[in-house]
Every structure is written in C-alpha cells, then in structure tokens.
Amino acid sequence: MFSRLSSLSRPRVLAVCALPVASLLAVAALAPLPFTVAQPGQTTNVLGTDRGKPVITVSGAPVRQTQGQLRMTTIVATGPSTEVDLGDVADAWVRRDRAVLPRDAVYPSGRSDEEIEEHNTAEMLKSQNSAVDAALGYLKEDPAKVKVTLHLADVGGPSAGLLFSLGIVDKLAGDGAGGDLTGGRNIAGTGTIDADGKVGAVGGVALKTQAAARDGATVFLVPKAECAVAEEQLPEGMTLIPVTELTDAVSSLRALERGGSVPKC
C-alpha cells in the first residue's frame, strides 16, 4: 500500500486519502441522530375560547367578564419516530427560531408514538386537575360547590398549569379590587403547577418567549429556575417575571397592574 502511494503526486495522494473521509461524512450526514428539532408553537388565551369553546368554564360561583389575555405557550417538536440527520441539526443550530434537544429530554424513551401521545394527554389532564385545585385553594373556594372545566384541544404535557390557575383566579376574583389581573395586557407564560400552587420548570422556554412575542404578548411569566435560559434569546420589549408559586405570580401581576415594582430575573 505505501509503495504504491509513493508513486503518486501529492495532490493525487490527498485526493485518495480524502475519499474515505468524504464517504464517512456523507454517511454521517444521512444517518439518523438521537435529537429532536423544536420551534415556537401555538399560544392560546386561556381567558378566551379554543375551537369555539371557552377554555375555562366555571359553575357554582359568579364569573367576571375579563379584559386582557393570559396566553399559555407551546413548542412544536419533530415526532419521536421522526429521523433527524446532521443537516437538520446544522440548520437548527444557526437559526434563532429552532432548537436542538436530546430526544430523551422531550419524549420518554422506549415508547411508541401512540404511547407517548397517551402519556402527554394524561400529563395534560393531571396538570388541569392540579391547576384547578391550586386556584380554588388560593381563593379559598369549596371545590364541592365550585366546578371548573378546562378545554384545550391538541395540546399535551403539563406546562400550561400555571396559566390555567391564573385564568381561574382572574375569572373569579380578578385583581382582588374590582379590576382585571392582567390589567388589560397581553400576558404569556409557562410553568407546571401542583395542587399546592408550586410552579415547576418546563422545557423550550426560549422558543416559548418567541411564540409569545409573535402573538402580541409583552410580559412573560417564567419559572424562576429558568430565568437564565429565557434571557438568552429574549425578544425585544418583552418583560420577564420570575415565579415560584401561584401566590407570587398573582402578587406580581397585581403589582404590574397597579404600576408597582415586580420581581426581575
């Protein structure tokens, strides 16, 4: 092998040596990788309607007419069985409106597409129940008397919990002084919530702030633990408010509505 190569000119030697490297790169470019590519998804005003139905329906207590918006935010990701190659990853890395995430960080491993869809639907239902419990607990309403139904089609996962709770609070109590919790603003956010009102971290925050800005929001409620991630690509003119509990989310919105100071990341 070496004696044969020694008779070739340097450019031809380099060309011969480059062939296996080029072949490897070509294979790598086409080979599926264990990543998911995500982008900003839909936002929905939980104080409004979704596909003609109210997102929040309350019975057993007076309901306020609200102004302003409380927008839950989502991301759209390639499916668990979708093949993502090196070209997809390279394209996403250079785009502001795309993110490359480990597939296992987005979807439970070892499950089919149908199982994952069922899992996400179950997580959404669990989140809705927790959101109702948290809101009614905060308002000291009797869940045996006050019934809340939540409707949101084609969205899975638990990250709308905080916004559901805030929407219930706004519909039942507003800012506590006769006004709207939103102050008439277009407010967006994300965060899980448990029945005690504790707010938890979610994924894709930077993409969610972009979705919020696209749909007109100027304020974004973010789990405090994810402030740094949210600030990395924060859209111009967007105000971030960190939250850890439903109580401080409500307090911050009341302060914002009255022109007071609010926490910052």
Side-chain angles (χ1 to χ4, degrees):
M1 175 71 74
F2 291 107
S3 62
R4 187 173 181 180
L5 285 176
S6 65
S7 66
L8 300 177
S9 65
R10 178 176 175 79
R12 292 186 67 188
V13 170
L14 292 177
V16 171
C17 292
L19 285 175
V21 175
S23 298
L24 287 173
L25 289 175
V27 171
L30 297 175
L33 299 172
F35 295 114
T36 293
V37 178
Q39 64 187 62
Q42 74 177 65
T43 74
T44 302
N45 176 24
V46 301
L47 297 174
T49 61
D50 177 50
R51 301 189 181 185
K53 295 182 179 180
V55 177
I56 300 173
T57 302
V58 181
S59 61
V63 178
R64 304 176 60 258
Q65 291 295 317
T66 59
Q67 301 294 321
Q69 301 178 33
L70 286 169
R71 289 193 166 272
M72 55 78 63
T73 55
T74 67
I75 63 171
V76 176
T78 52
S81 61
T82 301
E83 292 189 351
V84 174
D85 60 32
L86 188 59
D88 299 321
V89 172
D91 177 66
W93 269 333
V94 298
R95 295 183 58 168
R96 179 182 174 89
D97 62 344
R98 297 288 189 276
V100 179
L101 306 170
R103 186 175 295 158
D104 288 348
V106 180
Y107 300 111
S109 60
R111 299 190 187 184
S112 67
D113 288 13
E114 293 76 15
E115 289 172 332
I116 289 172
E117 184 175 353
E118 291 174 0
H119 170 80
N120 287 340
T121 299
E123 286 294 299
M124 170 59 87
L125 292 175
K126 180 180 176 181
S127 172
Q128 291 177 347
N129 291 334
S130 295
V132 172
D133 290 342
L136 295 183
Y138 171 81
L139 295 170
K140 296 180 172 55
E141 294 282 359
D142 186 349
K145 297 179 180 180
V146 179
K147 301 296 183 183
V148 180
T149 302
L150 301 176
H151 165 79
L152 190 60
D154 297 332
V155 176
S159 65
L162 171 62
L163 272 295
F164 282 141
S165 288
L166 289 172
I168 296 166
V169 171
D170 199 14
K171 281 184 171 289
L172 289 174
D175 67 353
D180 290 295
L181 190 59
T182 61
R185 293 178 175 84
N186 185 339
I187 293 169
T190 190
T192 66
I193 200 163
D194 66 17
D196 295 324
K198 184 178 179 180
V199 175
V202 296
V205 169
L207 296 176
K208 290 178 179 180
T209 60
Q210 292 181 45
R214 179 199 64 208
D215 292 348
T218 56
V219 177
F220 195 92
L221 301 171
V222 61
K224 187 174 181 179
E226 296 183 291
C227 271
V229 176
E231 288 180 313
E232 287 178 0
Q233 297 183 5
L234 189 66
E236 185 176 354
M238 180 76 71
T239 298
L240 276 182
I241 299 180
V243 296
T244 59
E245 305 274 350
L246 176 60
T247 52
D248 57 56
V250 173
S251 296
S252 293
L253 290 183
R254 284 177 175 172
L256 186 70
E257 190 266 333
R258 296 167 184 169
S261 60
V262 297
K264 296 180 180 179
C265 283

